[in-house]
Amino acid sequence: MKEMYTVKQVADILGFSTNTVYKYLNAGIIHTSRPGQMKSRFRISKKALEDYLGVPIDEYASEKHTQSESLFS
């Protein structure tokens, strides 16, 4: 099964506001789907998020963590 994220989860991963994520979704910058009965809610696949980032999510999170550590060193 594909791993799917909510708008809030994507905002947390990217460090963006949910409003920014909605703007990116509506502009087609991040691709999304609205599955089945949940037509009013966005779901972003792991692949779509990685396509936007250009790197695997784990690598992005690791890089982000390393950058934040260097701020406090």
Side-chain angles (χ1 to χ4, degrees), residues 16-73:
F16 294 169
S17 71
T18 54
N19 286 341
T20 299
V21 174
Y22 280 116
K23 287 178 188 176
Y24 280 32
L25 294 171
N26 289 325
I29 296 169
I30 300 174
H31 299 283
T32 186
S33 65
R34 292 184 174 184
Q37 298 170 344
M38 299 180 72
K39 292 273 184 198
S40 63
R41 295 184 185 211
F42 287 104
R43 291 289 182 258
I44 301 98
S45 70
K46 182 176 181 178
K47 181 181 179 339
L49 188 53
E50 289 177 337
D51 288 347
Y52 168 75
L53 293 171
V55 295
I57 290 173
D58 297 335
E59 186 177 321
Y60 176 80
S62 174
E63 181 180 310
K64 189 175 171 184
H65 180 70
T66 302
Q67 287 175 354
S68 66
E69 280 182 350
S70 67
L71 292 175
F72 298 105
S73 300

